[in-house]
Amino acid sequence: MRLREILVPEFDLGMTLNCGQVFHWQKHGRGFTGAIAETPTYVEQEGHLVRFAGIDAKELAHYFAFDHLLTEICASFPKDAALQTARQFCRGLRIIRQPKWECLATFICSSMKQLGHIRQISLSLRKRFGTARKICGQQVLLFPPAERIADASEKELQESALGYRAKNLRATAQQIASGAVDLASWSGLSDLELHDRLCALPGVGTKVANCVMLFAYERIGAFPIDVWIERVLREKYFAQRQSATKKELAKFASGYFGAYGGYAQQYLFHYARTAGKQKREDSSSVSRC
DNA sequence: CTCCAGGGATGAT
DNA sequence: ATCATCCATGGA
């Protein structure tokens, strides 16, 4: 298949797909295969050049948020050492625009799971319930629609290693399939109202709601606090006040990091996970030698 | 406010 | 081959 190409400054495809915001892209050759909504897509990067197949340039640009002005976003950040280091490390990482149901379902499954495991759950759900398509001779499995999950039995869902999440995923899928909930219609809600509506869904609490707001509703200020971010906040910003509650951390974060807090969060998160791991591997290999 | 079930992979011994 | 560790939600 012939690849088309566009020029995108300030973009790191690999980091964007592997930073824990999306879980279905597979490494293939020098790029990645996956689906953008229902469209099987291949995408690779060489310097500032992005080559792709299967999808419109416009849809690709929308999904990967090539319109986000990273320079301006970073310039708006507070100038503390932790965030400056993280943003250097995460240069080119973009918060993408995911389909709402797919994002919601994936993050319901993500609770109490690590990134690798969330990938496996996503793959298992797509294998069992999703439609198979092809791009560049490679199979791509679409994320199953809510109707398909709603029709599955809890037992079937359990076979994707969902544990107690199966019940929540199914209950939420049923609300969507029945029409009681229309995710698209929530786009116009205020941040607060959207957060409340999401939290009313089974299996969705503050953290998952904030992830969905950030990754599917373009609420770039949303600041999900998981254990990694909580650790970073306590170490770097609350060193004197270890007694601070999670609520206080959230309040601080939403004020301190500004309108693009979600970007700050993702950069701090990815740096803490990736650089932290490298440090651990380095020191363990040193001690072995 | 605090405590804790819950499950499956992954990493350490 | 066992044992500890990772983790968000929801209910007590």
Side-chain angles (χ1 to χ4, degrees), chain A residues 142-164:
Chain A
L142 302 185
F143 196 84
E147 291 73 16
R148 187 71 190 82
I149 299 292
D151 283 348
S153 69
E154 205 179 306
K155 199 169 201 168
E156 280 180 283
L157 293 172
Q158 292 284 5
E159 287 164 20
S160 291
L162 267 70
Y164 62 88

Side-chain angles (χ1 to χ4, degrees), chain A residues 5-8 44-51:
Chain A
E5 54 187 44
I6 45 172
L7 205 61
V8 187
E44 66 178 37
Q45 178 178 38
E46 194 179 331
H48 287 170
L49 215 51
V50 172
R51 299 197 190 86

Side-chain angles (χ1 to χ4, degrees), chain A residues 221 223 249-259 261:
Chain A
F223 197 98
L249 296 181
K251 196 179 169 194
F252 163 79
S254 68
Y256 179 75
F257 292 105

Side-chain angles (χ1 to χ4, degrees), chain A residues 26 35 107 121 127 210 217:
Chain A
Q26 303 276 358
F107 278 93
I121 289 174
K127 268 187 181 159
N210 277 319
Y217 282 90

Side-chain angles (χ1 to χ4, degrees), chain A residues 246-267:
Chain A
K246 225 172 163 176
K247 217 170 190 169
E248 289 174 299
L249 296 181
K251 196 179 169 194
F252 163 79
S254 68
Y256 179 75
F257 292 105
Y260 303 112
Y263 262 96
Q265 181 273 349
Q266 201 60 28
Y267 288 180

Side-chain angles (χ1 to χ4, degrees), chain A residues 23-251:
Chain A
F23 302 94
H24 75 271
W25 291 86
Q26 303 276 358
K27 194 96 188 76
H28 177 64
R30 60 179 77 180
F32 298 86
T33 56
I36 295 180
E38 311 283 283
T39 310
T41 302
Y42 172 81
V43 57
E44 66 178 37
Q45 178 178 38
E46 194 179 331
H48 287 170
L49 215 51
V50 172
R51 299 197 190 86
F52 60 98
I55 189 132
D56 285 351
K58 204 175 155 190
E59 286 178 74
L60 184 86
H62 183 259
Y63 182 77
F64 283 112
F66 292 153
D67 55 307
H68 284 173
L69 302 172
L70 296 192
T71 307
E72 278 182 30
I73 288 169
C74 288
S76 80
F77 289 161
K79 303 288 180 277
D80 65 75
L83 190 50
Q84 293 301 314
T85 309
R87 105 179 157 77
Q88 293 293 332
F89 183 82
C90 297
R91 195 171 282 169
L93 193 171
R94 287 173 184 271
I95 305 280
I96 68 174
R97 295 188 177 96
Q98 296 183 47
K100 294 176 174 56
W101 156 248
E102 176 183 322
C103 181
L104 172 63
T106 308
F107 278 93
I108 286 174
C109 299
S110 80
S111 90
M112 292 286 284
K113 293 287 182 193
Q114 282 135 301
L115 302 196
H117 199 191
I118 300 166
R119 285 182 167 284
Q120 290 179 36
I121 289 174
S122 165
L123 179 61
S124 176
L125 285 174
R126 285 179 289 116
K127 268 187 181 159
R128 247 166 240 276
F129 307 108
T131 306
R133 303 283 300 276
K134 273 204 160 174
I135 182 78
C136 298
Q138 178 82 359
Q139 189 184 65
V140 162
L141 296 159
L142 302 185
F143 196 84
E147 291 73 16
R148 187 71 190 82
I149 299 292
D151 283 348
S153 69
E154 205 179 306
K155 199 169 201 168
E156 280 180 283
L157 293 172
Q158 292 284 5
E159 287 164 20
S160 291
L162 267 70
Y164 62 88
R165 298 158 201 81
K167 202 174 193 165
N168 293 331
L169 181 63
R170 185 158 178 271
T172 292
Q174 282 173 338
Q175 289 191 33
I176 292 165
S178 74
V181 163
D182 176 12
L183 294 178
S185 73
W186 289 359
S187 294
L189 298 176
S190 71
D191 288 356
L192 219 62
E193 183 71 13
L194 177 59
H195 187 270
D196 283 354
R197 298 278 184 104
L198 287 167
C199 284
L201 297 170
V204 181
T206 305
K207 194 271 179 180
V208 171
N210 277 319
C211 285
V212 176
M213 288 173 70
L214 180 57
F215 301 134
Y217 282 90
E218 301 185 52
R219 307 303 166 106
I220 293 305
F223 197 98
I225 299 181
D226 73 324
V227 290
W228 288 90
I229 286 297
E230 183 169 351
R231 235 174 265 152
V232 171
L233 290 177
R234 287 190 190 283
E235 268 177 37
K236 310 288 183 187
Y237 302 95
F238 282 78
Q240 337 296 351
R241 301 194 35 223
Q242 286 302 309
S243 61
T245 64
K246 225 172 163 176
K247 217 170 190 169
E248 289 174 299
L249 296 181
K251 196 179 169 194

